[in-house]
Amino acid sequence: MMPGDPFSSCYISSGIVRFDAQMHFIAEIDKMTHVIRQTLLIDGSRKENDAEHSWHLAVMAQILGEYAKDKPDISRAVKMVTVHDLVEIYAGDTYAYDEEGAKSKLERETKSADRLFGMLPKEQGDEIRSLWEEFDKKETADARYATCMDCLQPFFHNTLTEGRSWLEHKTRRSQVEKRISVIRDNMPALWPWVVSNLDNAVQKGWLIDG
């Protein structure tokens, strides 16, 4: 533990090694509230943090399962969306369209996973790491559905904030369409709605056409 860490300086040990390790991890993930993303809150007042993003995805995953082509296990998908950004505590958030940042993303996040999930008792750390890896591979129905939520939420926020994060980064329609194609492939009933919003964003100048 680092000097000045509130956990090490304030926490009174229970004498139960397993419990203390779990509580250390729980204290550590509070740092998600300090990882700032590029997506704005819907009221446009500020950018959201990782904890807010993960909470939003978890609720969305419980509500929108009926639109998934391959029926996912909702409870597993909820677990995935609550843990998939934990590694950003140390690795930082990589903006979806940051090509340079994407080059080092896997290395940074893997090191972060080693450090963070290693705080937990082994079987719990292994379970969360397995969910994180499954999400990244996008090979299962649960992971694809979780990924749909991760793409749908910032897209939705941009449509309700006049595309402010798109405008800030001079984002092109083709970039957004490519990123959220997972929705077209796995939640096809929603794709016409997505296209209508893309058309509207281009028409209003929030996205660059092309």
Side-chain angles (χ1 to χ4, degrees):
M1 300 175 193
M2 297 294 293
D5 180 351
F7 187 86
S8 61
S9 61
C10 301
Y11 183 76
I12 298 175
S13 173
S14 68
I16 305 170
V17 173
R18 179 183 176 87
F19 175 75
D20 289 343
Q22 290 165 329
M23 297 308 289
H24 187 194
F25 174 82
I26 289 167
E28 192 73 358
I29 63 172
D30 182 72
K31 292 177 181 177
M32 284 190 82
T33 61
H34 299 288
V35 180
I36 304 302
R37 298 170 48 81
Q38 295 303 306
T39 304
L40 271 71
L41 298 178
I42 288 173
D43 69 2
S45 61
R46 61 173 173 82
K47 293 179 178 180
E48 68 178 0
N49 63 52
D50 262 357
E52 291 165 330
H53 172 69
S54 297
W55 158 80
H56 221 169
L57 299 188
V59 178
M60 288 171 61
Q62 295 175 69
I63 293 171
L64 299 177
E66 64 193 90
Y67 303 104
K69 182 177 67 175
D70 300 318
K71 297 308 178 186
D73 181 330
I74 298 298
S75 64
R76 290 193 78 251
V78 169
K79 285 183 178 181
M80 280 186 200
V81 298
T82 57
V83 304
H84 87 283
D85 276 339
L86 289 175
V87 294
E88 293 184 358
I89 289 172
Y90 308 133
D93 175 60
T94 303
Y95 182 53
Y97 309 112
D98 178 1
E99 295 180 3
E100 190 61 33
K103 294 176 183 178
S104 63
K105 182 174 185 286
L106 179 59
E107 180 182 0
R108 287 183 285 110
E109 292 191 348
T110 300
K111 288 180 179 178
S112 179
D114 292 342
R115 177 180 172 186
L116 184 64
F117 303 148
M119 291 181 178
L120 283 166
K122 187 176 187 309
E123 82 283 0
Q124 290 184 325
D126 287 350
E127 178 188 7
I128 293 180
R129 187 180 188 119
S130 177
L131 287 167
W132 173 69
E133 291 175 347
E134 182 179 343
F135 178 95
D136 266 11
K137 290 177 182 176
K138 301 173 179 54
E139 294 174 349
T140 65
D142 299 347
R144 289 191 293 270
Y145 178 61
T147 301
C148 284
M149 299 299 100
D150 192 37
C151 293
L152 181 61
Q153 189 257 6
F155 177 79
F156 185 47
H157 278 230
N158 264 295
T159 67
L160 297 180
T161 57
E162 300 182 330
R164 280 173 56 186
S165 71
W166 289 335
L167 286 165
E168 180 183 349
H169 295 279
K170 298 179 173 60
T171 310
R172 306 186 70 85
R173 175 185 177 140
S174 58
Q175 291 177 291
V176 178
E177 198 160 2
K178 179 180 178 180
R179 175 169 174 76
I180 62 177
S181 62
V182 64
I183 300 172
R184 178 196 64 207
D185 298 338
N186 295 279
M187 304 180 78
L190 302 185
W191 192 246
W193 170 82
V194 169
V195 171
S196 294
N197 278 282
L198 287 170
D199 290 343
N200 183 60
V202 169
Q203 181 181 358
K204 292 185 175 177
W206 305 341
L207 284 173
I208 299 169
D209 197 9

